[in-house]
Amino acid sequence: MTALRQCRMTDLLHMSLCNLDPLTENYDVHFYIEYMARWPSLFTVAENSDGQIIGYIMGKVEEDPAYLSFSDNYLPWHGHVTALTVAPQYRRLGIAKLLTDAFERACDNQNAWFVDLFVRASNDRAITMYRKMGYSVFRRVVDYYSDNPTSKSTGEDAFDMRKPMRRDKKRKHIRENGEEHRINPEDIYHG
């Protein structure tokens, strides 16, 4: 049986089962602590019946500064999935969906317009999984990842995938054919 709960400081010492995967982004411990401190309701772990951490999701709610509101790339109040990972031996059991559903509920409770996430354009399994959960590609960020595993000389593109929340009744924060809408990494505000 899988149980979800809010991440605790001591959990950082027990996430290696999840973080040893080559597609999982690893962060400095201070980064994880910042997320626990600033967005505790958006950092959730999944435990198996033995209390072992087998997955987690961490993210935040944010918006770009008001002075960017006239930019085509402006982001209103939204949830952002920074990391979602499940230990390899626990994949394809619905754990990622459980974690994502909990994250989306928390973002809906904070009146977010949408939830977004970035995924490597080559990560077909993750893209398929997110599409099944209702996400669609909003835009392609060219050369977003500098560590390109496909051995090209430039970076790898990211898909900015989004799912509208209850607040976005008119679905104005999603688009069709987002794969064709290209932007550069410097067009994204990183505040």
Side-chain angles (χ1 to χ4, degrees):
M1 179 176 174
T2 302
L4 301 183
R5 64 169 174 77
Q6 190 171 315
C7 187
R8 297 186 291 248
M9 196 69 67
T10 55
D11 292 333
L12 297 179
L13 303 172
H14 305 284
M15 291 182 169
S16 58
L17 185 64
C18 304
N19 285 347
L20 294 177
D21 176 52
L23 290 175
T24 298
E25 196 78 33
N26 284 284
Y27 302 100
D28 179 275
V29 69
H30 295 93
F31 191 78
Y32 292 103
I33 292 169
E34 177 185 3
Y35 272 71
M36 274 192 268
R38 293 182 66 187
W39 304 284
S41 67
L42 299 175
F43 199 155
T44 303
V45 298
E47 290 181 316
N48 66 11
S49 57
D50 296 326
Q52 186 177 34
I53 295 174
I54 57 173
Y56 68 87
I57 190 167
M58 63 184 252
K60 57 188 172 181
V61 286
E62 63 182 355
E63 69 182 319
D64 288 350
Y67 69 83
L68 292 175
S69 64
F70 298 103
S71 163
D72 290 338
N73 297 314
Y74 172 76
L75 294 177
W77 187 249
H78 69 286
H80 175 72
V81 176
T82 303
L84 168 64
T85 187
V86 175
Q89 61 270 43
Y90 290 94
R91 291 185 182 157
R92 299 188 171 272
L93 299 175
I95 296 167
K97 181 162 178 19
L98 287 173
L99 288 163
T100 304
D101 287 349
F103 184 87
E104 291 168 2
R105 279 191 305 277
C107 290
D108 248 342
N109 290 339
Q110 296 188 44
N111 207 25
W113 285 96
F114 58 87
V115 169
D116 76 350
L117 55 90
F118 284 49
V119 62
R120 289 179 184 272
S122 65
N123 193 344
D124 294 330
R125 272 195 177 161
I127 293 166
T128 299
M129 177 189 73
Y130 290 126
R131 286 187 194 280
K132 286 179 181 176
M133 288 193 274
Y135 288 79
S136 61
V137 176
F138 184 75
R139 58 190 176 179
R140 175 188 292 263
V141 185
V142 178
D143 294 338
Y144 182 76
Y145 296 103
S146 60
D147 62 332
N148 188 345
T150 62
S151 300
K152 295 179 185 174
S153 59
T154 59
E156 182 179 1
D157 294 356
F159 287 149
D160 176 359
M161 298 187 77
R162 294 185 181 181
K163 181 177 181 177
M165 296 290 99
R166 283 190 314 247
R167 183 177 182 182
D168 192 7
K169 292 175 180 24
K170 295 182 181 178
R171 305 297 190 241
K172 68 181 187 176
H173 296 288
I174 59 172
R175 68 165 58 105
E176 291 188 28
N177 302 316
E179 296 87 347
E180 306 306 318
H181 186 84
R182 297 171 182 266
I183 66 165
N184 296 314
E186 58 269 16
D187 294 329
I188 300 171
Y189 174 76
H190 297 281

